[in-house]
Amino acid sequence: MKSLGKYMIFLGKLISNREPFRVYLKLFFDECILIGINSLTIVVLVSVFIGAVMCLQTAFNLVSPIIPRYVISQVVRDIALLEVAPTFTAIVFAGKVGSNIAGGLGTMKITEQVDALEVMGINSASYLVLPKVLAGMFMYPILVTIAGFLAITGGYIAGVVSGVVTPEEYIYGIRADFMEFSVSFALLKAFVFSFLITSISAYKGYYTEGGALEVGASSTKAVTNSCIAVLVADFFIAQFLV
Amino acid sequence: MIEINNIQKTFEDKTVLHGISAVFEKGKTNMIIGASGTGKSVLLKTIVGLIEPDEGEVLYNGRNFYDANRDEQKKIRREIGMLFQGSALFDSLSVEKNVMFPLDMLSRMSKSEKEDRVQFCLKRVGLAGSEKKMPSEISGGMKKRVGIARAIVMKSQYLFCDEPNSGLDPNTAIIIDNLIQEITKEYDLTTVIVSHDMNSMMEIGEYILFMHEGKKVWEGSNDDVTDAESPILQKFIFSNKLMRKYKQ
Ligand SMILES: Nc1ncnc2c1ncn2[C@@H]1O[C@H](COP(=O)(O)OP(=O)(O)O)[C@@H](O)[C@H]1O
Ligand SMILES: [Mg+2]
């Protein structure tokens, strides 16, 4: 509870007494590039493979001849859009980007780089963290979109190569009973999760005290805490859906 | 001139500073001396506004820092340069960009004016030619020099140094100490240096505030420090063989 309050105050610090807009612009783009480079490879790998595995697993479980084969890709599509793309990727994102943010800020804190900014009269929390949070919220939905697309593609490749479903059936299934809502839903999740991951990780990093060991600990805590926050938020958003 | 009055600071239940007062004069290398863990860094941080004291006041040429509103505080901060214990260079920026950083953030100079100013400062600290190096590629002594250049680039009036020669060999340490003193004289700065190094104290301690367990034990200059009566200070000064020999 106490740390929740501290986290809220930290969020307040990000937006009060900001630096001029032009200062953030460059930092924002730098962070976007960094986040993209950091997480693209792993997100691509994870989503393609999960998509492939989902397709084969679903096929394996659908033994009844009365169920049409295109249901396989329908299942893959729905899980990919609703869970894999936003939530599963969030866990990967927390591991990559979250730990990076916490480690970077933690190092800056213990080597007094944060103090150096403060002495100059710069709001260090806002200067260092706000661009990261905004860049995360900008890049993550893009990553989620890529992940969703690739998971479905992964399913297609696995399904067609293994012969459990024909290309025509797969494409038909993807388009059957498609709800546009699931895309907006995935993007809503993307915004919420990326905000949680970047801000919690930044919070953990920013309040690191001690030495290299504590930076490591902050990094780990950043990942676990943001994963927990993501899963809790996922649950509440799912509630909101039904 | 900086004046501090009755500075007190307690962390949770541990009182680190028990009411410290001092006057740091312009154009002098003022030193805060004491053993490790006596609260020197905390005192310095309360002076520069990084840690708010529970009680007491800090006056910059008569302007009370903690009574000032945010804009006034910002204005005072622009007159402050600080060299941190580990140099605290931004590790994602080159030497040149580190020194330029305060100008980028806080000044309205044109690009070429900024470049000239950075060149001037780097040259002053003896680092011309290392502009493009990254902090990870330079030695501890060079990092301190970059830190000094960054601290003076805004033409600050107040220079603070936390353990400027920690982690340096004795020779480089003296060179850095002397550089700080030269710069203090050249630009008529009010300089406050925190140190536990007896050599530095003897070399450049024009005003010495000696602390022990969060209290001021003695103040004076390096000319009369060896004659100080305080047993704690005596013990501190004559802790090494060289000094004991000198005493005899
Ligand atoms: N942020 C803080 N919270 C709690 N205790 C602190 C904090 N900063 C310093 N201290 C304590 O204050 C004492 C003095 O520290 P410091 O000023 O760093 O000593 P030094 O004289 O070596 O610079 C130490 O015992 C330290 O543990
Ligand atoms: Mg210290």
Side-chain angles (χ1 to χ4, degrees), chain B residues 97-226:
Chain B
K97 289 277 180 250
N98 257 288
V99 179
M100 201 180 283
F101 185 86
L103 299 177
D104 281 338
M105 291 296 292
L106 308 169
S107 83
R108 282 174 198 211
M109 292 164 110
S110 71
K111 190 154 183 284
S112 66
E113 282 173 321
K114 285 193 274 194
E115 277 164 0
D116 288 349
R117 178 72 189 152
V118 169
Q119 268 311 313
F120 175 84
C121 292
L122 282 175
K123 211 164 154 202
R124 181 61 196 86
V125 300
L127 276 183
S130 303
E131 293 83 359
K132 302 288 175 229
K133 294 213 172 85
M134 296 305 282
S136 57
E137 298 168 340
I138 60 178
S139 68
M142 285 166 87
K143 280 185 191 159
K144 299 279 181 181
R145 288 172 192 269
V146 180
I148 294 170
R150 187 175 69 181
I152 61 170
V153 74
M154 289 286 288
K155 303 197 170 150
S156 344
Q157 300 181 35
Y158 310 98
L159 176 63
F160 297 92
C161 310
D162 194 355
E163 310 270 2
N165 48 22
S166 70
L168 302 180
D169 63 87
N171 198 17
T172 313
I174 295 283
I175 292 172
I176 294 289
D177 283 344
N178 286 327
L179 178 63
I180 293 170
Q181 190 172 36
E182 284 160 30
I183 283 173
T184 302
K185 302 290 168 198
E186 233 171 279
Y187 306 116
D188 201 19
L189 307 178
T190 306
T191 299
V192 180
I193 303 163
V194 159
S195 180
H196 61 227
D197 184 359
M198 231 253 321
N199 282 330
S200 300
M201 178 178 84
M202 298 311 288
E203 186 82 14
I204 58 166
E206 292 174 78
Y207 165 84
I208 297 165
L209 162 66
F210 185 78
M211 276 174 72
H212 183 68
E213 290 177 354
K215 296 189 188 82
K216 177 163 89 179
V217 175
W218 186 85
E219 63 186 331
S221 79
N222 54 358
D223 288 331
D224 32 58
V225 69
T226 44

Side-chain angles (χ1 to χ4, degrees), chain A:
Chain A
M1 264 300 126
K2 202 177 143 210
S3 57
L4 189 68
K6 218 174 140 196
Y7 171 68
M8 290 299 169
I9 293 170
F10 175 70
L11 292 183
K13 257 181 100 173
L14 300 188
I15 46 175
S16 59
N17 301 302
R18 281 173 311 235
E19 304 306 320
F21 177 71
R22 64 176 169 90
V23 170
Y24 291 103
L25 205 63
K26 186 181 173 303
L27 290 170
F28 172 77
F29 286 116
D30 290 350
E31 292 295 339
C32 282
I33 293 168
L34 210 67
I35 289 173
I37 292 174
N38 248 324
S39 45
L40 192 61
T41 326
I42 183 83
V43 166
V44 167
L45 270 175
V46 167
S47 42
V48 169
F49 275 92
I50 297 278
V53 171
M54 270 196 314
C55 177
L56 296 183
Q57 288 280 354
T58 315
F60 178 72
N61 286 312
L62 283 183
V63 281
S64 163
I66 26 173
I67 302 175
R69 309 292 282 168
Y70 71 78
V71 169
I72 295 172
S73 59
Q74 256 184 326
V75 171
V76 171
R77 175 198 73 201
D78 284 344
I79 301 181
L81 291 185
L82 293 177
E83 277 308 307
V84 171
T87 314
F88 208 93
T89 313
I91 307 292
V92 175
F93 192 73
K96 263 292 201 187
V97 176
S99 66
N100 198 299
I101 289 176
L105 287 174
T107 307
M108 290 191 79
K109 183 70 193 302
I110 64 158
T111 56
E112 298 181 303
Q113 294 176 50
V114 171
D115 284 345
L117 288 170
E118 289 286 330
V119 167
M120 292 173 200
I122 296 166
N123 177 348
S124 62
S126 178
Y127 176 80
L128 293 172
V129 177
L130 195 61
K132 292 190 204 297
V133 172
L134 293 179
M137 290 177 75
F138 179 74
M139 290 302 283
Y140 187 65
I142 298 177
L143 285 171
V144 166
T145 311
I146 295 173
F149 177 76
L150 287 179
I152 293 174
T153 312
Y156 176 85
I157 296 169
V160 172
V161 168
S162 67
V164 296
V165 59
T166 66
E168 292 74 27
E169 283 168 335
Y170 195 89
I171 302 289
Y172 179 81
I174 284 176
R175 306 179 69 162
D177 305 322
F178 177 70
M179 291 185 302
E180 278 107 20
F181 177 67
S182 46
V183 174
S184 8
F185 189 65
L187 290 178
L188 168 74
K189 279 188 174 186
F191 280 118
V192 175
F193 295 170
S194 53
F195 173 75
L196 288 172
I197 293 168
T198 48
S199 62
I200 291 174
S201 304
Y203 167 77
K204 283 288 164 198
Y206 189 81
Y207 288 105
T208 306
E209 299 277 352
L213 215 59
E214 281 79 8
V215 174
S218 292
S219 232
T220 317
K221 273 200 213 121
V223 177
T224 35
N225 289 10
S226 21
C227 284
I228 293 169
V230 162
L231 295 174
V232 171
D234 193 31
F235 177 77
F236 281 109
I237 296 173
Q239 291 267 299
F240 167 76
L241 181 69
V242 290

Side-chain angles (χ1 to χ4, degrees), chain B residues 49-63:
Chain B
L50 287 174
I51 297 178
E52 188 159 352
D54 302 329
E55 236 174 87
E57 47 183 21
V58 177
L59 305 169
Y60 282 89
N61 279 345
R63 295 166 296 172

